[in-house]
Amino acid sequence: MDCVSPSETAPAWLPNAARLYLAHTEGGCSLRELARMEGCHPSTVLRQIRRVETRRDDPLVDEALTRLGAQARTARSRKETPPMTATIRVDRPTADDPTIQREARRILRRLNEPGAFLAVAHDMEKAAVLREGPDGHTSRVAVVERSVAEVFALRDWIGCRTRGRVTIYEITSAGRAALKRILAGDEARQSGQAEAGSPYGDQHRDWETATDEKAERIRYNRAESPLSILGRRRDKDGKPFLAPDLVAAGERLREDFEISQMGPRIAQNWERFLTGGQRGGFQPGSGPLNGPTDARERVVSALRDLGPGLGDVVLRCCCFLEGMEQVEDHMGWSARSGKIVLRIALQRLKLHYERLGEDAGLIG
């Protein structure tokens, strides 16, 4: 019986060790056959297969491999397909799909923030990114499809910290390196370079740059947003300068901003939404919205409600991730006044989301 190369029997995003594992356990390929196709010693293949087998105590890894194995057996059993030549079909997005790359950019950035982790419940179709604040308050800052989380686990971008009814995952060093490569490639494309300069070198750095509407380069630490920094500061009475519910409102706006894929270059003309009256789009009471287009409508609705000034400060601080000094300089405000305006803007934003209720979207 002939053995098919692992590259022909698994989706493109699957790591090579998992390909070998499925080819051996589901495809019936012997270690010697796999070693011959890979051009290595059988003991090397055996080590990779055993490494994958030991990871099956991870719920996401086990679910993904079980599903892939079942699809392989179904494909092989089809009468019109010769034995051992069926390919493993995947009915969920692959890593080559822009959806996976976009989700990796969005979710890994969130998991790279201090106190962030991914929670996966056994009976839930989606996973949630939660972040624990210095006061012990935990807020939900992002959601992701469970199938996407499975890809992250198989690629070793997230690792299991605790298991139970709710399993907790954290970003790994491999996940941070992947995030830096993705963002380095984004920066190269935005700057007009034909190729990313050195994505594997940039993965060892922890800074990021963005471009605002004046084509100015903004450099900041991607591991922490200005909002989370202000959320840790205390006033003279020892209370947080920004209450957890205000931070949650700003994070909700940022989540929609990232899902909408707007970016500074698109959002730079957002003022037209504030001065042109209602032009359709999202209306309170129209029901929950999902996807990039609907997320953009939610951002526009929130900025329109805040109006110029307050809308500017939340957009720049929560979405563009500009620091307070840069916001004050851009807006022409006096020093240390920006954070006061930001707090007022977040209070208005919180009221905006409270009025929408369940129509505000997934993050609450």
Side-chain angles (χ1 to χ4, degrees):
M1 184 178 296
D2 295 332
C3 178
V4 180
S5 170
S7 62
E8 301 176 9
T9 60
W13 55 261
L14 198 63
N16 193 55
R19 296 173 191 271
L20 297 174
Y21 177 83
L22 290 173
H24 179 63
T25 58
E26 304 295 343
C29 295
S30 68
L31 296 179
R32 293 187 180 277
E33 289 174 314
L34 292 174
R36 184 168 56 252
M37 287 184 289
E38 292 293 298
C40 61
H41 195 273
S43 62
T44 302
V45 176
L46 178 60
R47 283 195 297 271
Q48 295 186 58
I49 291 176
R50 284 179 174 174
R51 188 181 307 119
V52 175
E53 179 65 31
T54 59
R55 295 190 62 203
R56 296 207 67 159
D57 58 350
D58 182 320
L60 288 179
V61 172
D62 183 66
E63 290 173 11
L65 292 176
T66 299
R67 174 170 49 83
L68 290 172
Q71 292 173 355
R73 291 190 297 272
T74 300
R76 287 178 53 200
S77 64
R78 294 179 179 176
K79 295 181 179 180
E80 66 273 16
T81 304
M84 299 308 299
T85 61
T87 58
I88 297 178
R89 298 180 58 194
V90 182
D91 56 358
R92 300 186 184 185
T94 67
D96 296 330
D97 192 309
T99 300
I100 294 298
Q101 289 297 314
R102 183 179 70 248
E103 291 297 274
R105 183 184 300 108
R106 182 173 68 91
I107 298 302
L108 293 181
R109 284 179 66 166
R110 285 297 196 171
L111 290 175
N112 198 34
E113 296 176 354
F117 57 90
L118 183 76
V120 182
H122 177 71
D123 54 348
M124 299 295 291
E125 295 183 358
K126 296 180 182 292
V129 179
L130 308 177
R131 191 174 63 200
E132 184 176 358
D135 57 353
H137 177 80
T138 301
S139 59
R140 185 170 63 178
V141 297
V143 291
V144 62
E145 294 290 340
R146 192 185 188 97
S147 58
V148 176
E150 291 177 3
V151 175
F152 292 173
L154 277 173
R155 295 179 70 90
D156 198 27
W157 289 349
I158 56 175
C160 185
R161 185 179 73 184
T162 58
R163 300 177 181 85
R165 184 176 179 274
V166 177
T167 305
I168 303 301
Y169 291 84
E170 294 178 330
I171 189 171
T172 63
S173 57
R176 291 190 177 91
L179 172 63
K180 293 173 185 177
R181 290 197 299 271
I182 292 172
L183 296 179
D186 292 344
E187 182 180 350
R189 285 188 293 272
Q190 291 175 2
S191 62
Q193 299 177 12
E195 299 179 354
S198 55
Y200 284 90
D202 289 337
Q203 72 182 25
H204 301 292
R205 307 178 181 95
D206 200 23
W207 50 264
E208 183 175 350
T209 59
T211 305
D212 66 7
E213 66 269 23
K214 292 185 177 180
E216 296 176 346
R217 306 293 286 176
I218 306 168
R219 192 175 189 180
Y220 62 92
N221 183 355
R222 69 166 62 95
E224 197 161 24
S225 68
L227 194 63
S228 62
I229 295 174
L230 287 174
R232 292 201 310 269
R233 292 185 179 179
R234 305 277 176 171
D235 58 21
K236 60 181 180 180
D237 298 327
K239 299 180 180 179
F241 179 77
L242 293 179
D245 55 352
L246 299 184
V247 176
E251 294 290 5
R252 182 184 300 190
L253 181 68
R254 177 184 169 189
E255 175 72 0
D256 278 335
F257 183 83
E258 292 177 345
I259 293 176
S260 69
Q261 308 171 56
M262 293 173 72
R265 294 184 181 274
I266 298 177
Q268 62 184 350
N269 296 321
W270 71 274
E271 290 88 349
R272 69 184 177 88
F273 296 104
L274 307 180
T275 58
Q278 298 288 341
R279 293 189 175 93
F282 180 69
Q283 300 290 338
S286 60
L289 299 174
N290 304 293
T293 301
D294 297 332
R296 179 179 300 189
E297 294 295 339
R298 291 196 294 269
V299 173
V300 170
S301 175
L303 295 179
R304 184 188 292 121
D305 192 13
L306 293 179
L310 297 182
D312 280 289
V313 70
V314 297
L315 182 70
R316 292 184 170 278
C317 182
C318 302
C319 302
F320 293 173
L321 303 181
E322 294 183 8
M324 280 292 97
E325 292 183 2
Q326 189 168 3
V327 172
E328 291 166 352
D329 180 69
H330 178 89
M331 302 296 294
W333 297 339
S334 60
R336 293 180 295 279
S337 63
K339 62 182 184 180
I340 303 298
V341 179
L342 175 63
R343 183 163 60 181
I344 296 173
L346 291 175
Q347 290 170 347
R348 285 279 302 274
L349 185 63
K350 174 176 174 287
L351 292 176
H352 169 80
Y353 287 130
E354 287 177 348
R355 286 196 299 270
L356 295 182
E358 294 298 326
D359 295 330
L362 292 174
I363 305 301

